[in-house]
Amino acid sequence: MEVKYIYRIDDIHPAMMWSRFERVMAMFQQRGVVPLLGVIPDNQDESLQFDPPREDFHQIMRTLVAEKRAEIAQHGYRHLYTTRQQSVNQRLYGRVSSSEFAGLPYETQYQMIRDGQAMLRAQGLESDIWMAPSHTSDDNTFRALKKLGFRYVTDGVAVYPYRHHGLIFVPQQNWQSQKPFPVGVFTICLHLDDLEEAAMKEIEDHLKTNDVMVPFSQVASLPRQWYHGPLNSLFKLKRVIYHRGVRPLRAMKHQSVVDQER
């Protein structure tokens, strides 16, 4: 089976880099690519303030969704980091990142996610897809997401989607368009502040290839026979060997076993 690619753009909010956003969206539209946009419900992260905030931001997002030029994910709440915690992905590599959610009590995370969800809902942008800032979530995050009606997470180290905590994870493994595996579903994560000329050229070149690029929703609804647990485990092993060297086999336990829920 051929490799399928999803493009996602993080940190979408009223004061983002509008010129880069419009340029990359025009490239996608020309090639019929539907990206997943991670919308921050109430951005308070000053490091992401680039342009004057657009008052028509939510209308633009609604139009993109209505015209099927983009899909929407909830990208955290305020994008403010308060803890340092290993995420689901980072446990494999031994890294630790700042997090908006991971490490906080369940009740706190539930309220934050619920408040962000309500803000997007009020703007006609509610989504059942979760995109965590810095890819950092923990078990309390997943419990809260499930309770609040989320169905999908754009994250995880795997080669095909898998089930964990009653949610479907569509893995996010790449920040550029190299072919890391001969089969599977690979999400390419973009940040507007990184999209300088070289990065734009790389995206443009990739869009001209014969690679199959699909919307997030198409992959999330794949038939269950596409959920290949052994391939997911093999891909994790490949990534760990690359990043950290060989580890004890017991450390490679596949924590997101296909079709099993906690």
Side-chain angles (χ1 to χ4, degrees):
M1 290 176 283
E2 60 196 350
V3 178
K4 296 180 184 293
Y5 289 92
I6 300 166
Y7 271 95
R8 69 177 242 188
I9 309 178
D10 295 33
D11 304 337
I12 302 300
H13 63 96
M16 63 184 173
M17 288 185 174
W18 280 96
S19 61
R20 291 187 182 179
F21 176 76
E22 290 164 354
R23 181 177 173 187
V24 74
M25 288 299 295
M27 292 165 56
F28 287 150
Q29 185 173 0
Q30 183 179 12
R31 296 290 175 175
V33 174
V34 179
L36 180 66
L37 305 181
V39 178
I40 305 171
D42 182 25
N43 180 55
Q44 301 292 323
D45 186 345
E46 293 185 0
S47 71
L48 298 179
Q49 304 287 340
F50 296 105
D51 289 349
R54 292 274 296 265
E55 294 184 0
D56 58 349
F57 169 76
H58 294 103
Q59 180 57 55
I60 291 171
M61 295 298 113
R62 287 193 294 268
T63 299
L64 289 173
V65 173
E67 295 179 354
K68 300 187 184 304
R69 289 189 282 149
E71 298 178 339
I72 296 293
Q74 181 176 332
H75 188 38
Y77 175 36
R78 290 178 169 167
H79 212 276
L80 293 178
Y81 298 134
T82 58
T83 69
R84 286 185 63 79
Q85 186 82 15
Q86 283 189 335
S87 72
V88 171
N89 288 7
Q90 294 163 341
R91 288 173 191 161
L92 295 175
Y93 310 143
R95 296 201 303 266
V96 178
S97 292
S98 297
S99 179
E100 184 177 17
F101 293 91
L104 295 178
Y106 168 79
E107 293 77 9
T108 302
Q109 294 199 47
Y110 177 89
Q111 182 175 340
M112 292 167 64
I113 297 170
R114 182 194 62 188
D115 290 351
Q117 183 184 52
M119 295 180 75
L120 292 184
R121 181 182 294 131
Q123 295 292 342
L125 294 173
E126 183 178 4
S127 174
D128 59 1
I129 306 168
W130 176 252
M131 181 188 291
S134 293
H135 312 273
T136 49
S137 301
D138 63 12
D139 289 351
N140 285 333
T141 317
F142 304 141
R143 286 177 55 208
L145 291 172
K146 180 68 175 175
K147 182 74 172 178
L148 288 165
F150 285 84
R151 299 177 62 196
Y152 306 104
V153 175
T154 168
D155 232 329
V157 178
V159 71
Y160 282 102
Y162 57 87
R163 185 178 296 275
H164 179 51
H165 275 289
L167 302 164
I168 298 298
F169 284 63
V170 177
Q172 192 280 298
Q173 320 91 328
N174 285 25
W175 284 263
Q176 53 189 14
S177 58
Q178 81 274 17
K179 286 184 171 59
F181 219 62
V183 296
V185 174
F186 291 87
T187 303
I188 301 172
C189 177
L190 305 179
H191 294 82
L192 295 176
D193 49 323
D194 292 333
L195 296 186
E196 299 181 354
E197 251 347 278
M200 286 288 192
K201 181 63 165 57
E202 181 180 295
I203 295 168
E204 187 176 33
D205 290 345
H206 186 219
L207 296 178
K208 292 177 182 178
T209 68
N210 293 323
D211 288 341
V212 178
M213 298 164 212
V214 297
F216 182 95
S217 59
Q218 180 177 329
V219 172
S221 61
L222 284 173
R224 295 175 73 86
Q225 60 263 32
W226 278 58
Y227 288 32
H228 293 294
L231 279 177
N232 283 348
S233 297
L234 178 61
F235 182 78
K236 282 190 174 187
L237 178 60
K238 176 179 181 291
R239 282 297 178 96
V240 169
I241 291 173
Y242 176 79
H243 284 276
R244 301 186 66 186
V246 177
R247 300 169 63 194
L249 289 179
R250 61 183 175 82
M252 287 304 305
K253 181 179 180 182
H254 184 45
Q255 62 185 350
S256 301
V257 179
V258 178
D259 295 329
Q260 290 188 8
E261 302 181 18
R262 290 189 179 181

